[in-house]
Amino acid sequence: MKTIDYIIVGCGLAGIAFSEQLRAANKTFLVFDNNSQHSSRVAAGLYNPVVLKRFTKVWKAKTQLELALPKYKILEQLLDIKLDFEIPVYRKLASIEEQNEWFVASDKPVLSDFLSTKLVNNTNAAISAKYGFGEVLHSGRINTTRLVEFYRAYLKSNHQLSEDEFHYDSLDIQSDFIQYETIKAKHIIFAEGYGLSKNPFFNFLPLNGTKGEMLTIKAPDLNMDFILKSSVFIVPLEDDLYWVGGTYEWEDKTYEITNNAKEELLKKVKQVISCDFEVVHQVAGIRPTTKDRRPLVGTHSRNNRLHVLNGLGTRGVMMSPYVAEQLFNHIEKGSDLDLEIDIKRFDT
């Protein structure tokens, strides 16, 4: 029998963030991840403190950024890779009215730290942007695909990763510990993304799941050194490649790519850029979304050994270190969770 402090189910952004809390506190843990969930791997990995459709601040944006960015620096050092690419987000402005709305928004105290008060003129002949751009400050991209890949390898090298499927019915829950096969632990954290929908311990939680499809295009003549937000996001990668996304589908819960999504994204891209490009890849994932746009964090009401860390939606890069710290302090120090993320809000 092997005895550890924690079992974590899931090695996406939430699982990695909680693993880092445990590693910093010298806690022993084992992560179960069989690569069945893909949302962290296919995400653009943006950290963007502003909802650009409505010009409003992201929930707790300043707090999340101040906590998250140093965490990613630590991960870069641990894994010896580049993860954080600081790059501005340019919001394409479609009219004089939108320019005025940008100026109004950038003058608001809650947004003044994040929105530049000066518009950026378009100097790229391959981009259609007659009215220029508004620039978002303190933005960038985390290479989430690289993060998941290298972190899994790190765990594996330290014998902290099991790639076997986790079987809920093999979990023996006692009052002062939990046991899974030959592993005995004090706590278990379920951070399996949309996989939570099949979790018998937390299936009462309203995890909706929103399918998103994304394209990677190669556009040698685009020469874009910023993230462009119009009707889609266009995100520069490397070697003239750009991430384009994403779609939103609420009924289809499969990971199959569709021609409808491809055509939708291509139509939107062609409205923004005029240079030639080719599609080199298309992927699909299911975002773990919630009805109130807040994550699902907390402890099971009938067993304080079972915990959940989920529902990060489209903002996992910014949000995961914050919610992981909240849950860790809740378990280890008895701290109260932020009421907006606590799963108690759904207790019946």
Side-chain angles (χ1 to χ4, degrees):
M1 183 69 65
K2 181 179 181 180
T3 302
I4 57 177
D5 293 315
Y6 284 83
I7 291 172
I8 301 172
V9 183
C11 193
L13 290 172
I16 290 172
F18 199 83
S19 296
E20 283 298 281
Q21 288 289 146
L22 298 180
R23 193 176 67 84
N26 294 314
K27 299 291 183 180
T28 53
F29 63 95
L30 178 68
V31 178
F32 281 82
D33 188 86
N34 67 348
N35 266 327
S36 62
Q37 303 301 313
H38 307 284
S39 60
S40 295
R41 287 179 176 270
V42 304
L46 302 186
Y47 54 91
N48 165 28
V50 181
V51 180
L52 290 172
K53 186 175 182 179
R54 301 186 296 273
F55 298 148
T56 56
K57 188 183 76 164
V58 169
W59 175 73
K60 292 189 179 294
K62 190 171 187 293
T63 300
Q64 290 179 20
L65 281 175
E66 289 176 349
L67 182 63
L69 296 184
K71 298 279 189 182
Y72 291 117
K73 295 299 182 188
I74 291 171
L75 281 165
E76 287 183 325
Q77 295 170 1
L78 174 72
L79 304 175
D80 193 26
I81 55 173
K82 177 68 174 174
L83 295 171
D84 184 4
F85 297 84
E86 298 178 26
I87 180 171
V89 173
Y90 284 5
R91 164 62 150 83
K92 178 186 172 181
L93 301 173
S95 63
I96 295 293
E97 288 75 19
E98 276 206 340
Q99 288 182 339
N100 292 334
E101 289 173 9
W102 181 273
F103 286 127
V104 170
S106 64
D107 198 42
K108 294 179 180 178
V110 295
L111 290 172
S112 59
D113 288 341
F114 304 124
L115 299 183
S116 171
T117 56
K118 297 180 180 179
L119 298 185
V120 179
N121 292 324
N122 178 37
T123 58
N124 190 324
I127 299 174
S128 173
K130 177 181 178 181
Y131 298 96
F133 312 101
E135 180 181 356
V136 181
L137 309 174
H138 310 297
S139 60
R141 177 178 73 90
I142 300 297
N143 189 324
T144 55
T145 301
R146 186 179 296 171
L147 170 59
V148 172
E149 176 187 349
F150 277 77
Y151 201 82
R152 280 174 55 91
Y154 168 79
L155 293 176
K156 196 170 184 178
S157 69
N158 286 286
H159 308 289
Q160 292 175 296
L161 177 69
S162 171
E163 295 179 285
D164 296 334
E165 181 179 355
F166 187 87
H167 298 283
Y168 301 107
D169 55 4
S170 296
L171 189 64
D172 181 18
I173 305 168
Q174 302 295 325
S175 60
D176 55 349
F177 68 92
I178 56 104
Q179 184 175 327
Y180 182 78
E181 297 177 346
T182 60
I183 304 163
K184 186 178 179 180
K186 296 176 184 176
H187 300 278
I188 185 167
I189 311 296
F190 291 105
E192 69 264 59
Y194 185 63
L196 188 75
S197 60
K198 298 179 181 178
N199 187 317
F201 308 111
F202 291 100
N203 57 11
F204 64 93
L205 293 174
L207 186 73
N208 299 330
T210 307
K211 181 177 181 178
E213 296 189 51
M214 310 84 182
L215 302 177
T216 302
I217 64 171
K218 189 173 184 68
D221 297 325
L222 184 51
N223 298 318
M224 196 174 77
D225 60 356
F226 54 88
I227 297 167
L228 175 58
K229 173 65 173 82
S230 57
S231 56
V232 290
F233 274 102
I234 304 176
V235 183
L237 304 174
E238 300 91 18
D239 303 320
D240 297 322
L241 296 175
Y242 296 84
W243 182 98
V244 177
T247 61
Y248 289 83
E249 167 61 49
W250 289 270
E251 299 301 325
D252 180 4
K253 306 297 185 184
T254 71
Y255 293 99
E256 300 296 322
I257 60 173
T258 66
N259 193 60
N260 284 344
K262 180 180 180 180
E263 292 303 316
E264 176 187 335
L265 291 172
L266 288 177
K267 180 180 178 181
K268 291 178 178 179
V269 169
K270 290 175 181 178
Q271 291 172 346
V272 185
I273 67 173
S274 56
C275 61
D276 292 334
F277 65 88
E278 63 173 320
V279 177
V280 297
H281 194 43
Q282 181 177 355
V283 292
I286 301 179
R287 309 174 184 94
T289 52
T290 61
K291 65 180 183 181
D292 62 359
R293 300 177 182 271
R294 296 290 180 266
L296 303 170
V297 183
T299 299
H300 198 281
S301 60
R302 292 185 297 279
N303 193 294
N304 63 3
R305 303 289 160 182
L306 308 182
H307 314 274
V308 65
L309 188 65
N310 211 306
L312 305 188
T314 61
R315 302 195 181 273
V317 161
M318 283 180 59
M319 200 179 290
S320 53
Y322 172 75
V323 295
E325 182 179 87
Q326 282 266 317
L327 183 58
F328 179 81
N329 289 338
H330 175 65
I331 297 169
E332 292 290 334
K333 302 177 183 180
S335 303
D336 290 335
L337 290 167
D338 185 315
L339 294 176
E340 290 187 82
I341 68 174
D342 195 334
I343 58 172
K344 287 180 179 177
R345 69 192 191 273
F346 299 115
D347 281 354
T348 55

